[in-house]
Amino acid sequence: MKIKSLQLNNFMIFNKLQLDFSPNINVICGENSTGKTALIKVLYSSLKGYDEAYNLKGVTTREDIERLIVSKYQGVFRPDNESIGRLVNRAQENNRADVLIKLNNNSDINVGFSRKSTKHVDILDCNLNNIGSVSPVYIPPKEIISATENFGSLYSDYHIAFEEIYYDLVRLLEKPLRKGPNTNEQNEVMSSFEKIVNGKIVQRDKKFYLKMKGAGEFEMGLVSEGYKKLATIMYLILSGSLTKDSILFWDEPETNMNPKMIKPMTDALITLANMGVQIFVTTHDYFVLQSFNMDSVYGKNKKMKYNFISLYNQENGEVRLEVAENLDGLEHNSIMKEFDELYNREQRMIDEY
């Protein structure tokens, strides 16, 4: 299952947005407050709410779909008083938000709600039989694998101020490994990750360890956050939670990651995309952007399709976007603009010195 496109009307900071996606890798950049995270959260929330409805035992009704999508929007976006209506664009004339997600099997997930809505959304198109199984996975900026042992039970029993994306990820990490040998695709992508971390991921009683070649076994709390994030993906692959039919959303993978790890990390994501995973990455990082861009321009796999999506604010405050197959096609690129400005500042300082 792949996402073909997204259409938003009056959702959060977006007045109108129409965006087509690559079935392989989508890289989203832009300044703060341009809606990068909101964009992947609305995709994830809609798909995850639907997926939980699809996996209910017994007959699933439209009311079940509505209830689970509402619950997922509430948990992921955390609006005050759990009021869905607070996700409607705050401009005075806007009273309703609509979300339309088109999938590659010609089915839709279409959700709408008014500003006055609290716990109700209109499910306009969402046929369980037509859509089939969906496997969205969301990796947030902060790692959670080192807290898996206790986080799941705390979140389910108490009100704690964490977005539900963390709880969803913990539930996937709590799954045991599947029986039988790994697939060829799993072995290929695991080889890429194991080279980066120089070891393997081990799980015992919901505790995770990194077993490094020639160095021994380390509790996950003792390794760097960058390694923790890579270990998270490694275990999701091994447990079957991240497969060729999955959709991976990774919000700012560069957070707390040494620039030396960026190239191997993007190479591993490209391997995942080759396996069949649809990738969505948000970033503020020059190295992430350029690593993907070099593969889009010079990569050997010409079938790999990239979408570089730049979100930017107009003078009137409206968020606009542009899309290109590589960075040369973007007129608005805040990361490259700042990189160039840094170079120019250095040259001016050299001249003055």
Side-chain angles (χ1 to χ4, degrees):
M1 182 67 64
K2 301 289 185 292
I3 304 173
K4 284 182 62 178
S5 66
L6 171 67
Q7 181 176 318
L8 297 176
N9 290 324
N10 302 325
F11 183 85
M12 295 187 67
I13 66 172
F14 300 107
N15 292 330
K16 287 187 180 295
L17 178 143
Q18 173 67 49
L19 182 54
D20 295 328
F21 297 114
S22 162
N24 305 132
I25 297 179
N26 300 273
V27 184
I28 306 166
C29 62
E31 297 181 8
N32 288 331
S33 300
T34 53
K36 298 182 301 298
T37 298
L39 194 153
I40 62 171
K41 278 185 175 181
V42 72
L43 289 169
Y44 173 78
S45 301
S46 303
L47 292 171
K48 187 66 175 177
Y50 159 81
D51 188 58
E52 291 180 356
Y54 182 83
N55 288 295
L56 284 176
K57 295 180 179 180
V59 177
T60 303
T61 65
R62 182 174 290 269
E63 287 73 23
D64 291 325
I65 302 172
E66 177 189 347
R67 172 175 55 84
L68 289 168
I69 288 181
V70 167
S71 176
K72 192 56 61 179
Y73 275 41
Q74 291 170 328
V76 169
F77 288 101
R78 299 181 61 84
D80 279 357
N81 302 316
E82 298 186 334
S83 176
I84 296 297
R86 293 189 61 80
L87 301 181
V88 177
N89 185 285
R90 303 295 173 85
Q92 188 171 1
E93 68 275 10
N94 296 331
N95 292 311
R96 179 181 174 85
D98 289 284
V99 178
L100 173 60
I101 300 171
K102 289 187 174 293
L103 305 172
N104 67 339
N105 63 354
N106 297 318
S107 57
D108 300 339
I109 295 178
N110 196 343
V111 176
F113 50 91
S114 73
R115 182 180 289 182
K116 295 181 180 180
S117 296
T118 54
K119 299 180 179 181
H120 167 75
V121 295
D122 299 318
I123 306 296
L124 305 178
D125 287 300
C126 194
N127 189 304
L128 289 173
N129 295 324
N130 289 344
I131 297 175
S133 180
V134 181
S135 301
V137 176
Y138 194 112
I139 309 292
K142 298 176 183 177
E143 66 85 19
I144 197 67
I145 191 171
S146 61
T148 298
E149 180 186 8
N150 298 311
F151 186 87
S153 58
L154 284 172
Y155 197 96
S156 60
D157 294 338
Y158 299 93
H159 291 289
I160 55 178
F162 272 82
E163 298 164 348
E164 198 165 311
I165 50 178
Y166 290 92
Y167 179 55
D168 289 345
L169 182 55
V170 164
R171 288 193 297 173
L172 293 179
L173 291 170
E174 288 176 342
K175 288 185 176 181
L177 297 180
R178 290 186 174 184
K179 294 182 178 179
N182 295 336
T183 65
N184 291 335
E185 291 87 355
Q186 284 177 316
N187 287 331
E188 181 182 357
V189 74
M190 285 302 298
S191 176
S192 297
F193 279 100
E194 287 170 3
K195 287 179 182 177
I196 302 172
V197 301
N198 192 34
K200 298 179 181 292
I201 181 72
V202 178
Q203 192 250 60
R204 290 194 299 271
D205 300 323
K206 298 183 182 181
K207 294 181 181 180
F208 289 87
Y209 303 84
L210 185 60
K211 189 174 183 179
M212 302 185 71
K213 293 180 181 179
E217 197 173 86
F218 296 87
E219 299 92 320
M220 198 54 62
L222 300 180
V223 302
S224 70
E225 184 156 347
Y227 274 33
K228 291 173 186 176
K229 290 181 178 180
L230 295 175
T232 297
I233 291 187
M234 291 169 68
Y235 191 79
L236 294 176
I237 295 168
L238 288 173
S239 65
S241 296
L242 191 57
T243 69
K244 63 181 181 181
D245 298 316
S246 298
I247 301 171
L248 175 63
F249 303 92
W250 197 346
D251 195 6
E252 298 182 14
E254 69 273 7
T255 304
N256 294 326
M257 190 174 289
N258 189 289
K260 185 178 180 180
M261 294 182 65
I262 297 299
K263 175 61 165 57
M265 180 270 293
T266 55
D267 284 347
L269 287 177
I270 292 167
T271 303
L272 273 178
N274 278 316
M275 188 175 85
V277 179
Q278 187 179 23
I279 306 287
F280 291 83
V281 169
T282 69
T283 186
H284 288 287
D285 188 80
Y286 171 82
F287 296 100
V288 171
L289 206 60
Q290 281 293 66
S291 292
F292 281 126
N293 184 59
M294 285 189 288
D295 187 73
S296 72
V297 176
Y298 305 109
K300 295 180 180 179
N301 184 2
K302 300 305 179 183
K303 294 182 179 179
M304 180 68 65
K305 301 298 182 183
Y306 280 87
N307 260 18
F308 289 89
I309 302 162
S310 174
L311 299 172
Y312 60 95
N313 283 308
Q314 290 190 308
E315 291 184 2
N316 63 2
E318 184 177 349
V319 175
R320 301 294 297 273
L321 65 85
E322 58 178 339
V323 181
E325 295 181 355
N326 56 63
L327 294 183
D328 287 342
L330 295 179
E331 294 183 11
H332 300 82
N333 186 336
S334 59
I335 296 174
M336 291 303 299
K337 181 179 179 181
E338 186 58 32
F339 184 86
D340 292 340
E341 179 58 30
L342 178 63
Y343 174 82
N344 292 334
R345 287 202 301 270
E346 182 181 23
Q347 293 306 305
R348 289 194 296 269
M349 294 176 71
I350 291 172
D351 293 340
E352 293 171 1
Y353 186 79

